[in-house]
Amino acid sequence: MFVPDPSKRQQDKITIVIVSRLVYRKGMDLLAGIIPVICNKHPDVNFIIGGDGPKRTLLEEIRENNQLQDRVTFLGPLKHSEVRNVLVQGHILINTSLTEAFCIAIVEAACCGLQVVSTRVGGVPEVLPPEMIKLAEPSVKALVSALEDAISDQRNGKVIDPYEAHERIKNMYTWPNVARRTDVVYDMVHKLPDPDMSTRIRRYYQCGPLAGKLFVIAMVLDLFFLFILKIFQPENEIEACPDFSEAFRKPTFIRPNSARKSQPENIRHRGKLKST
């Protein structure tokens, strides 16, 4: 879906795109500090903001107070099918998140050929290769510096060709690839030995001077609740879930329709379920 289209960009302007929920966790307070500084220093830079949230009011006030109505455009809520058409209008995407596990938005932007500027938080540094992303600490000063470096690269042509970026991202992230990597993690965790109760309590206790004690109290209460449940319903009275792992590994032979027609109705019905 996220194919580049450089013809949609303004040739005489540099467009910075933000596609995000406009909430505190996504760093909208940082963005509110970045926009006036960049617009004041770089007259040829515009912003497009896609998304909605409680921080939109703050960003609109910044636009009004700095008279940037012709340089900062709000698109409002976007459907996922509309995101690509917004991204291809930009040269740079900025992500100001304060916390982030992965950030699919920067992958979609890089796939559309945009240069990415992002906060160095969570798993973001592992998502894209260094030549496709500029990382900065979650502060206005650091992000402005990284954004100005990206703007300079755009002016000097020191950026990866959009179609080359698309091909690299296309081969880097595929669902079969992600599934294989996830499977490796699950297998690795499955092979770890189960920690005993004292080890688990010690780990909870080490989570912090206050939080650790609260976690231990919560764990003890959970164990007490489990003990009460076992009195009313002992473990040996609970039906165990059968192990289907071997069954899933064996190929299932489905009879052709002509063979199933001669079978009793209940068997034919079960065959249809398998086929489905």
Side-chain angles (χ1 to χ4, degrees):
M1 289 175 59
F2 293 89
V3 180
D5 188 356
S7 66
K8 300 295 184 183
R9 298 173 175 176
Q10 283 187 288
Q11 301 304 315
D12 58 337
K13 300 285 185 180
I14 294 176
T15 302
I16 299 173
V17 177
I18 300 97
V19 178
S20 171
R21 289 180 292 114
L22 308 184
V23 297
Y24 172 78
R25 189 181 72 80
K26 292 293 184 177
M28 292 302 110
D29 294 280
L30 295 176
L31 184 62
I34 292 168
I35 290 175
V37 176
I38 292 295
C39 287
N40 185 49
K41 290 184 176 181
H42 305 277
D44 60 339
V45 172
N46 293 335
F47 286 83
I48 295 178
I49 302 175
D52 203 2
K55 289 293 182 178
R56 177 170 176 171
T57 303
L58 170 65
L59 296 173
E60 288 178 337
E61 288 177 356
I62 293 296
R63 182 177 69 168
E64 298 296 325
N65 293 341
N66 292 274
Q67 298 181 351
L68 300 172
Q69 290 87 342
D70 57 335
R71 298 180 62 187
V72 179
T73 303
F74 288 92
L75 302 179
L78 295 174
K79 297 179 181 178
H80 191 259
S81 58
E82 300 171 335
V83 172
R84 181 261 176 186
N85 294 333
V86 175
L87 290 175
V88 294
Q89 298 177 44
H91 299 81
I92 301 168
L93 177 127
I94 182 168
N95 169 51
T96 57
S97 294
L98 302 179
T99 62
E100 199 72 72
F102 181 83
C103 192
I104 193 70
I106 66 176
V107 176
E108 294 170 346
C111 208
C112 287
L114 279 72
Q115 194 174 10
V116 176
V117 175
S118 175
T119 46
R120 186 185 284 106
V121 295
V124 171
E126 302 174 24
V127 176
L128 295 174
E131 60 272 20
M132 288 187 175
I133 185 170
K134 294 186 182 297
L135 297 169
E137 296 303 316
S139 69
V140 172
K141 183 178 179 180
L143 284 166
V144 166
S145 177
L147 203 50
E148 289 188 310
D149 288 343
I151 292 169
S152 177
D153 288 347
Q154 288 289 334
R155 288 175 178 153
N156 298 322
K158 296 180 180 179
V159 292
I160 299 174
D161 179 77
Y163 295 100
E164 178 187 343
H166 176 80
E167 289 300 316
R168 291 181 62 179
I169 297 297
K170 184 173 70 173
N171 296 322
M172 192 182 303
Y173 288 106
T174 64
W175 283 120
N177 183 306
V178 172
R180 282 192 297 269
R181 291 158 61 184
T182 304
D183 197 38
V184 169
V185 174
Y186 273 103
D187 283 343
M188 182 176 65
V189 173
H190 181 67
K191 292 174 183 176
L192 293 175
D194 290 333
D196 56 29
M197 188 60 63
S198 61
T199 302
R200 292 167 61 189
I201 292 176
R202 186 164 57 251
R203 287 180 180 176
Y204 278 119
Y205 189 78
Q206 292 172 349
C207 288
L210 177 60
K213 295 180 177 63
L214 294 175
F215 290 163
V216 170
I217 292 172
M219 183 180 181
V220 171
L221 291 175
D222 283 343
L223 291 173
F224 179 74
F225 182 58
L226 181 61
F227 176 77
I228 298 298
L229 291 177
K230 286 181 178 180
I231 294 176
F232 290 98
Q233 189 169 14
E235 291 182 17
N236 56 7
E237 295 181 3
I238 300 174
E239 182 182 0
C241 177
D243 184 3
F244 292 105
S245 57
E246 290 300 323
F248 285 133
R249 292 192 182 97
K250 296 176 181 178
T252 303
F253 175 73
I254 306 298
R255 290 175 178 269
N257 291 333
S258 59
R260 289 206 302 267
K261 287 180 181 177
S262 61
Q263 296 176 342
E265 182 62 31
N266 61 334
I267 297 179
R268 291 208 306 272
H269 179 66
R270 192 160 57 246
K272 289 178 182 177
L273 289 178
K274 284 185 179 180
S275 178
T276 301

